[in-house]
Amino acid sequence: MLETDINTVDLIIEARWIIPGAPRGILLEHAALAIAQGRIVAILPIIEARQRFHALETVSLPTHALIPGLVNLHTHAAMVLMRGLADDVPLMAWLNERIWPAESHVVSDRFVHDGTLLACAEMLRGGVTCFNDMYFFPQAAAEAIDRIGMRACLGLAVLEFPSPYAVDADDYLNKGLAVRDELRDHERITTCLAPHAPYTVSDRTFGRLMTYADQLGLSLHLHLHETLDEIAQSEAQYGLRPLQRLVGLGLMGPNLLATHCVHLTPGEIETLAAQHCHVAHCPSSNLKLGSGIAPVASLLAVGVNVGLGTDGAASNNRLDMFSEMRMAALLAKSAGDASCLSAAQALEMATLNGARALGLEDRIGSIEPGKIADLVAVDFSATEMMPCFDPISHLVYVAGREHVSHTWVAGELRCEHGVHVGVEQMELKEIARLWQGRLKQFHR
Amino acid sequence: MLETDINTVDLIIEARWIIPGAPRGILLEHAALAIAQGRIVAILPIIEARQRFHALETVSLPTHALIPGLVNLHTHAAMVLMRGLADDVPLMAWLNERIWPAESHVVSDRFVHDGTLLACAEMLRGGVTCFNDMYFFPQAAAEAIDRIGMRACLGLAVLEFPSPYAVDADDYLNKGLAVRDELRDHERITTCLAPHAPYTVSDRTFGRLMTYADQLGLSLHLHLHETLDEIAQSEAQYGLRPLQRLVGLGLMGPNLLATHCVHLTPGEIETLAAQHCHVAHCPSSNLKLGSGIAPVASLLAVGVNVGLGTDGAASNNRLDMFSEMRMAALLAKSAGDASCLSAAQALEMATLNGARALGLEDRIGSIEPGKIADLVAVDFSATEMMPCFDPISHLVYVAGREHVSHTWVAGELRCEHGVHVGVEQMELKEIARLWQGRLKQFHR
């Protein structure tokens, strides 16, 4: 782990605690991180770091835990502009009667740029350094992400029906692939193919997507088994549950990320494990839309890689991974086992498991030498964080996103005490005001 | 609602929104509150307030919602010193192997004073103005509550087995009644009798408590049907479920507050309704200890008065009523109905229903002329609160306790931007450090 002579690095972060995230449950006290060219060079005791490294900048975090940047494994970032537009409404009515009509009226590249910028600002403030997005106009999302300096995987949305973005599945796919070509050398933005859901995508389109996924080495990201309605509809239309249909189409595999998976038979859980699929668990959104509680303990027990997502702010209504960690850990215990889904495991789901699902586990998701320095400092000095017997447990059960003090992406400070680098609060507020005005007619 | 000529009042609060809490769902825009001698004199448009009242002090809240102070209907305040001492452990092991041994070692009047002060500070910062406590050394709790200026109902704990506070049930009861006598004229502190739970209190003791409750006009507060274990144990010992046993003893009635009620038969739900009992719902604690999910929708449907509680910080691990409102509203939808337990109803549970359960609904729980001015300002100006189509929905689904800017108790400002009146942060931190040192041997 250590270099021999004195080396110059860009940044040393000295922290009360470092929680590297891997191996699970490890806690380092009075530890330092050396960072050069955006990557982690060494993790070592503070005293040794001072002897072995000369740093251009040193950040001291005497009451903080330094953790890996959080990975929001499923969201629709731009929908933050519809936060609270339709609350206490079930999924299908929420989509058909509220969200889709509003989207058809307002969605544009400007909407997506503005919404994504506001969402990124919220996520960075709350310790999220990377998110997996699924929405329209991905080029506009990429511009916003670039400006604020976040990491993201952009899901290139594909569905059969028209929107302000595209007229049919081929149009979605062609536009998406063009964006993928533009972004292929981007350092912080990757892309994946995002067929919306089995109920909005035909067999023919799934077939085309599989071909592109294979040829271009792209993963697939979709909504799956979110509601009982969706399953009943598929059984009526195809004589198959959606997951069975995907099996038949040959879609299951290690490059498939299935979001929600609320309603699963034991056999389907086995299939997800055997096929090495990844699952994005969105506990708050699943509750809020009345979808139910995903069988996360069972998925984890058979080795499925499960990460955490906020879903869009229109169904959460926060883009807050601290809330999701806490909710996931608490909700998994609802079946009666208080030892199920420990705090350390919830943190792993929100970091390394998310990175793994995005194919980024060799670059992010834990604090290890050689990995990119996507980092978050959480301040434990507030009285509501005291006393503290176990900082990992406190991260999940006590801390909120308001305790995040610093967020770095690739070793660059992107947010400090709620203030972003390169984006003014005034601009964000102006964006929110503008779109609130345009959307309020859809609130009732 | 209005006075005629110009009146001098102590305080005018002008707010972007006032959410009075009663009737449910009402939202007043650009409204003002006139307060004199700790009580609400009038609610009226800001322009009218400026014409009709002369105020010694005016507070302007241009981006805020003013709401009734939150009522934490069940907690063990001093246990905040054991926050995170035993996580991911089920209730009975948590009690028998972790909490009770630690308590027998450290609990004293000093422990209770210090813990209650730290807990009150956390609650006031997070918008809680009143709490219903159940713990040992209530006189020491009262001293802390007095210092920080909060409102509370102190449950005078009674159980059969010894603790550092008392040797047997009679000793608990006698000590409790002495405290009750000392506090009987206190403006902000009331008392109730708090038999811990059916599994720790004998029939004989319940009988004595009922006599005192009747004679002194005190209500009864206990834990009930928190776990399946508790029910099985009662069936083995008494041949009755705990609630049936209480029915037999004649305990059920409008002065009974039952906490948890996670496991209830339809008949038991009917009994709680028919007997006009009150229920304290503690959703986070019930999940965290693996107890389960209380049938809140069913309780509300038959008219049971259900309030919200955090439980102690040793099983939550926050004293955060914003978290509980959100959790209650989300969790009630887990059965599949997204319209169940709306945001407005969750707010009502956290305010007026709590006040009603404590017999204080004519004094607190809503913003109405004549009621005491227990008030909380929530700042909506942060970008993570934007856009905003419905402030009541945002309070529950978007806001966190970190957005609380001001907390008043009886018209007195007790906390502003996280800073308490009369208690220094340094003292609170010293308290946490002291007891962390004494308790750490019980953490493993």
Side-chain angles (χ1 to χ4, degrees):
Chain A
M1 240 196 242
L2 303 181
E3 310 292 310
T4 43
D5 299 304
I6 289 188
N7 281 300
T8 297
V9 293
D10 297 323
L11 175 63
I12 294 274
I13 304 174
E14 302 180 347
R16 175 72 181 84
W17 298 289
I18 293 179
I19 300 169
R24 184 195 296 171
I26 294 295
L27 178 75
L28 308 172
E29 298 206 52
H30 302 293
L33 210 56
I35 294 155
Q37 294 180 306
R39 287 190 182 263
I40 297 163
V41 174
I43 313 174
L44 66 181
I46 289 176
I47 290 171
E48 281 185 39
R50 289 179 184 175
Q51 291 165 347
R52 292 181 183 254
F53 292 100
H54 171 73
L56 301 180
E57 186 190 359
T58 298
V59 174
S60 177
L61 303 171
T63 59
H64 305 62
L66 191 68
I67 65 171
L70 302 174
V71 179
N72 184 353
L73 192 55
H74 179 73
T75 191
H76 312 282
M79 292 181 80
V80 75
L81 296 173
M82 298 179 184
R83 189 202 307 275
L85 189 68
D87 289 333
D88 302 324
V89 179
L91 176 68
M92 287 303 169
W94 178 84
L95 271 179
N96 290 315
E97 296 162 28
R98 314 292 290 272
I99 297 300
W100 284 340
E103 282 182 336
S104 74
H105 188 77
V106 300
V107 169
S108 64
D109 53 359
R110 175 77 190 278
F111 176 93
V112 172
H113 170 274
D114 287 0
T116 305
L117 193 69
L118 190 63
C120 287
E122 179 179 355
M123 288 193 275
L124 278 173
R125 281 183 79 166
V128 177
T129 52
C130 177
F131 66 104
N132 184 30
D133 202 36
M134 185 196 285
Y135 210 60
F136 310 118
F137 298 99
Q139 181 58 50
E143 283 167 27
I145 293 162
D146 239 6
R147 260 192 71 194
I148 207 161
M150 238 177 132
R151 188 179 307 285
C153 173
L154 291 178
L156 308 170
V158 177
L159 56 167
E160 303 297 337
F161 65 85
S163 72
Y165 172 53
V167 296
D168 59 22
D170 287 350
D171 193 22
Y172 283 100
L173 183 55
N174 293 337
K175 284 176 171 155
L177 292 174
V179 172
R180 183 253 167 197
D181 287 343
E182 284 177 47
L183 294 172
R184 59 187 304 170
D185 297 321
H186 200 289
E187 280 190 9
R188 284 179 286 94
I189 303 179
T190 56
T191 55
C192 69
L193 296 171
H196 171 263
Y199 59 92
T200 50
V201 176
S202 68
D203 286 358
R204 172 186 169 274
T205 299
F206 272 127
R208 289 197 66 198
L209 289 170
M210 279 178 59
T211 305
Y212 280 106
D214 286 344
Q215 286 178 355
L216 303 173
L218 294 172
S219 63
L220 292 163
H221 175 200
L222 46 63
H223 298 95
L224 186 64
H225 287 211
E226 183 172 4
T227 64
L228 292 172
D229 273 358
E230 165 196 345
I231 295 171
Q233 189 185 317
S234 175
E235 284 174 330
Q237 189 175 350
Y238 298 98
L240 294 167
R241 287 164 65 89
L243 195 143
Q244 288 176 298
R245 185 174 149 230
L246 298 187
V247 170
L249 291 167
L251 247 85
M252 306 300 279
N255 71 341
L256 186 79
L257 168 59
T259 292
H260 300 309
C261 294
V262 175
H263 304 282
L264 296 173
T265 64
E268 288 168 343
I269 291 172
E270 287 299 332
T271 300
L272 288 165
Q275 296 292 328
H276 304 286
C277 300
H278 309 270
V279 169
H281 175 42
C282 303
S284 297
S285 173
N286 293 156
L287 289 174
K288 185 146 189 302
L289 294 172
S291 305
I293 299 174
V296 173
S298 303
L299 288 166
L300 292 169
V302 295
V304 175
N305 180 54
V306 183
L308 292 180
T310 59
D311 209 345
S315 67
N316 184 307
N317 299 345
R318 309 159 65 116
L319 301 176
D320 175 4
M321 286 291 286
F322 280 84
S323 283
E324 298 310 313
M325 282 197 288
R326 179 176 159 89
M327 183 63 94
L330 292 179
L331 214 52
K333 305 179 199 324
S334 65
D337 178 4
S339 65
C340 177
L341 223 171
S342 68
Q345 196 167 12
L347 179 62
E348 187 175 88
M349 291 170 73
T351 53
L352 194 57
N353 291 10
R356 187 175 294 122
L358 300 178
L360 297 173
E361 73 273 29
D362 57 338
R363 302 170 68 192
I364 61 165
S366 58
I367 301 179
E368 295 181 84
K371 282 200 176 181
I372 297 172
D374 286 6
L375 303 165
V376 172
V378 182
D379 190 353
F380 278 55
S381 68
T383 52
E384 70 267 18
M385 294 278 274
M386 296 183 174
C388 177
F389 301 97
D390 178 348
I392 298 177
S393 189
H394 259 39
L395 263 183
V396 172
Y397 295 123
V398 183
R401 60 178 173 180
E402 69 275 18
H403 298 112
V404 169
S405 61
H406 301 70
T407 307
W408 290 268
V409 178
E412 303 277 333
L413 185 64
R414 290 300 177 184
C415 191
E416 184 174 1
H417 299 301
V419 178
H420 297 92
V421 174
V423 178
E424 296 291 330
Q425 291 289 302
M426 200 53 76
E427 180 184 356
L428 298 171
K429 292 186 180 185
E430 200 41 58
I431 282 173
R433 258 189 293 270
L434 172 76
W435 291 102
Q436 181 172 324
R438 295 193 188 170
L439 278 158
K440 68 183 175 194
Q441 63 180 300
F442 296 96
H443 179 257
R444 58 174 191 267
Chain B
M1 236 195 239
L2 303 180
E3 309 294 311
T4 43
D5 298 304
I6 289 188
N7 281 300
T8 297
V9 293
D10 297 323
L11 174 64
I12 293 274
I13 305 174
E14 301 180 348
R16 174 72 181 84
W17 299 289
I18 293 179
I19 299 169
R24 186 195 295 170
I26 293 296
L27 178 76
L28 307 171
E29 300 206 49
H30 303 292
L33 209 57
I35 295 155
Q37 296 180 305
R39 287 188 184 262
I40 297 163
V41 174
I43 313 174
L44 65 181
I46 288 175
I47 290 171
E48 282 186 37
R50 290 178 184 174
Q51 291 166 347
R52 292 181 182 255
F53 292 101
H54 170 73
L56 301 180
E57 186 191 358
T58 298
V59 174
S60 178
L61 303 171
T63 58
H64 306 61
L66 191 69
I67 65 171
L70 302 173
V71 179
N72 184 353
L73 192 54
H74 178 73
T75 192
H76 313 282
M79 291 181 81
V80 76
L81 295 173
M82 298 178 183
R83 189 202 309 274
L85 189 68
D87 289 333
D88 302 323
V89 179
L91 176 68
M92 286 303 169
W94 179 84
L95 270 179
N96 290 315
E97 297 162 27
R98 312 292 289 273
I99 297 300
W100 283 340
E103 282 183 335
S104 73
H105 189 78
V106 300
V107 169
S108 64
D109 54 359
R110 175 77 190 279
F111 176 94
V112 172
H113 170 273
D114 287 1
T116 305
L117 193 68
L118 189 64
C120 287
E122 178 179 354
M123 288 192 276
L124 278 173
R125 282 183 78 167
V128 178
T129 52
C130 178
F131 66 104
N132 184 30
D133 202 36
M134 184 196 286
Y135 210 61
F136 311 118
F137 298 100
Q139 181 59 50
E143 284 167 27
I145 294 162
D146 239 6
R147 259 193 72 194
I148 206 159
M150 237 176 132
R151 188 179 309 283
C153 174
L154 291 178
L156 308 170
V158 178
L159 56 168
E160 303 296 338
F161 65 86
S163 72
Y165 173 54
V167 296
D168 59 22
D170 288 349
D171 193 22
Y172 283 100
L173 183 55
N174 293 337
K175 284 176 172 156
L177 292 174
V179 172
R180 183 254 167 198
D181 287 343
E182 283 177 49
L183 294 172
R184 59 187 304 170
D185 297 320
H186 200 288
E187 279 191 9
R188 284 179 286 96
I189 302 179
T190 57
T191 55
C192 69
L193 296 171
H196 171 263
Y199 58 91
T200 50
V201 175
S202 68
D203 286 358
R204 172 186 168 275
T205 299
F206 273 127
R208 289 197 66 200
L209 289 170
M210 281 178 57
T211 305
Y212 281 105
D214 287 345
Q215 286 179 354
L216 303 173
L218 294 172
S219 64
L220 291 162
H221 175 199
L222 47 63
H223 298 95
L224 186 64
H225 287 213
E226 182 172 5
T227 64
L228 292 172
D229 273 359
E230 166 196 345
I231 295 171
Q233 189 186 317
S234 176
E235 284 174 330
Q237 189 176 350
Y238 298 98
L240 294 167
R241 289 165 64 89
L243 194 143
Q244 289 176 298
R245 186 174 148 231
L246 298 188
V247 170
L249 291 167
L251 247 86
M252 306 301 279
N255 70 342
L256 186 79
L257 168 59
T259 292
H260 301 309
C261 294
V262 175
H263 304 281
L264 296 173
T265 63
E268 289 168 344
I269 292 171
E270 286 299 332
T271 299
L272 288 165
Q275 296 293 328
H276 305 287
C277 300
H278 309 270
V279 169
H281 175 41
C282 303
S284 297
S285 173
N286 293 157
L287 289 174
K288 185 147 189 303
L289 295 172
S291 305
I293 300 173
V296 173
S298 303
L299 287 165
L300 292 169
V302 295
V304 175
N305 179 53
V306 183
L308 292 179
T310 59
D311 209 346
S315 67
N316 184 307
N317 298 344
R318 308 159 66 115
L319 301 175
D320 176 3
M321 287 291 287
F322 280 84
S323 282
E324 298 310 313
M325 281 196 288
R326 178 176 159 89
M327 183 63 94
L330 292 180
L331 214 52
K333 305 178 197 327
S334 65
D337 178 5
S339 65
C340 176
L341 223 169
S342 68
Q345 196 168 11
L347 178 62
E348 187 175 87
M349 290 169 74
T351 52
L352 194 56
N353 291 10
R356 187 176 294 123
L358 299 178
L360 297 173
E361 74 272 28
D362 57 337
R363 302 170 67 192
I364 61 165
S366 59
I367 301 178
E368 295 181 84
K371 281 200 176 181
I372 297 172
D374 286 7
L375 302 166
V376 172
V378 182
D379 190 353
F380 278 55
S381 68
T383 51
E384 70 267 17
M385 294 278 274
M386 296 184 174
C388 176
F389 301 97
D390 177 348
I392 297 177
S393 188
H394 259 38
L395 263 184
V396 172
Y397 295 124
V398 183
R401 59 178 173 180
E402 69 274 19
H403 299 113
V404 169
S405 61
H406 301 70
T407 306
W408 291 267
V409 178
E412 301 277 332
L413 185 64
R414 290 300 177 183
C415 191
E416 183 175 2
H417 300 301
V419 178
H420 297 92
V421 174
V423 177
E424 296 291 330
Q425 291 290 301
M426 200 53 77
E427 180 184 358
L428 298 172
K429 292 186 180 186
E430 200 42 58
I431 282 172
R433 259 190 292 271
L434 172 77
W435 291 103
Q436 182 172 324
R438 294 191 189 171
L439 279 159
K440 67 183 176 193
Q441 63 180 300
F442 297 97
H443 179 257
R444 55 175 192 266

